[in-house]
Amino acid sequence: MKGPTMRTYASVPFPDVTITGAFWHERLEVVLTRTIPSQLKMLEKHDIRGSIKLPKPVPPLTIPRRKGGFTVQMFWDSDIGKWIEAASYALRHRRDAAIEAEVEAMIDDLEAAQAEDGYLNCFYQQREPENRWTNLRDNHEMYNAGHLLEGAVAYYQATGKDRFLRVMERNMDHIARTFGRGEGQRPGYPGHQEIELALIRAFHATGQQKFLDLATYFIDERGSREPEHYFDTEAKARGDDPADYFFAASGMYEYSQSHLPVREQTKVVGHAVRAMYMYAAMADLAAEHGDAALKAACETLWADVIERRMYVTGGFGPSEHNEGFTADYDLPNDTAYCETCASVAMVFWAARMLNLDLDGQYADLLELALYNNSLAGLSRDGESYFYDNKLDSDGSHHRWAWHMCPCCTMNVSRLVASVAGYFYGLAETEIAVHLYGGSETRLPVAGGHVTLTETSDYPWNGAVRIAVAPEGCGDFTLSLRIPGWCEGASARVNGQAVPMTVERGYLKIARSWSEGDVVELDLPMEARRSYAHPAVRADIGRVALRRGPLVYCAEERDQKAPVHSLRLPREAALSARHVPDLIGGVTVIEAEARAARAEGWGPDLYRPAPPEEAPSPLLAVPYYAWCNRGANPMLVWLRE
Ligand SMILES: [Zn+2]
């Protein structure tokens, strides 16, 4: 039985929303026609596809083990799961017999690999079956299972075929029998969170309470010390010293957010992707159970990350060491880690917060993470990737054709393939429009249906038009997001100005709608400056440029002087111009900057007087679009 829900809005799933706007339509087509097929080729080329056939004799490891026996090859099942998920989204856009046959072949292999008792992990089954479930802390068995489950749910929703879902249901039943607080069970939970989110999706897709119960158990058990930390118990059982742990120095279990029960956590710590996936599941569970303490924990963690631990680009986690968070205001630019997966996972978290509570701060961050750090992870041609997203590059940082740990590649493809699912929220008598960019949808509201046709050239232009066509519905409220970055927004209904009473980021227009009604929204989109809190030592004396939802950067190829020599005085006017033939069409920001001259300086490394400056035009491009014209130096935070 479903518990008392706290969710006030439901996301409108992406198949119910058609993207018509040029920006997302172009990204979506690239992902469907190039990225997803090329990822399959990469899975084949890098032995990942073949690994789920449990080949005999067992081939040597492709990726050698590190100290402690760990290899990222242990997560290959997750890559298969994520590719199936992205491919299933592609199938929902249009059925494709070749893709469907490939997914079926993968399911054949996974079904054949599954053990009698439901266990499924191709790495362990092939290489060390005796060690299964002995190291939840490090070895990602549940993370893999979670991604396979998400793939199974997506494939079921795309095709109606439930064979894979049944495989994964047997796997989840096995996990639920093995772990828990009951007789003969072990009180374990994943070292790398992800399965919680997947289980909640399986619950929504099937209505089966057992999926929700297992997700709830994992979140509730995490961080327990009764009778001791589970990761210590299992380390001792392996004959290891729990303190002999790579991340012990940076706080024993902060790395996996298992240092405290989740409701007692107040700081965003540790591995950023694990954190974001967990917070997303917490928000979901708060909604499902009406759990006020869990919701409050989410809100506390949210405030911590946005006030002290987030990059201006919507990137999370500065450090490569733990792939995650460090100290408040520690946001270095040239060593920024900002894993693409972490921003994608922030989109998941923010969307769930928005369903709990319609507050523009969640949509603002969803949009920031989506358009900037997440989208930067994929090249314009859809076939190369950033894993880490720096904000300052000397030119040595460029995209990968593939990554030894390809987690980010399919995270960005599954996000783009399902991006339409983030545009709208639905309540009984209210529709919330979170994102603009050209879309059409028909939604059930107030006892009938309404078709909304939104046209705009967002994110380049803030003029938005929404045609409303109700069919048999009563009065309802259309809640239009007024982005936090926007000043001077205005709206009209059928040409008549609407009072701008904005409630927590949303303009609520309640009326009796009729066929032919048109809402026009004007969101002024000026090029603007942004400054960091003075405690951010990396950014002091520096300025970033933004326009609409986009954060900008300067690539050296567009400047007349080295990008690191540029200074943008506060009084320099900013202007924006759309350039159709630049990187597929982008709006650039231009200004008159000053460049420190090396000419005439001589051989001295140091001198008592600063270098001379000369005027130098600055041209900044959207951050997501950088590094599509070859590697070159790049800077987000310019000296002021
Ligand atoms: Zn990743």
Side-chain angles (χ1 to χ4, degrees), residues 46 230 299 346 349 375 431 434 451 496 595:
H46 293 272
Y230 184 76
E299 289 164 348
M346 169 49 97
W349 183 24
L375 212 47
I431 297 169
H434 305 312
T451 300
Q496 300 273 307

Side-chain angles (χ1 to χ4, degrees), residues 82 273 339-342 387 405-409 411:
K82 246 154 63 181
V273 181
E339 184 175 341
T340 302
C341 284
Y387 187 103
C405 178
C407 51
C408 300
T409 64
N411 237 340

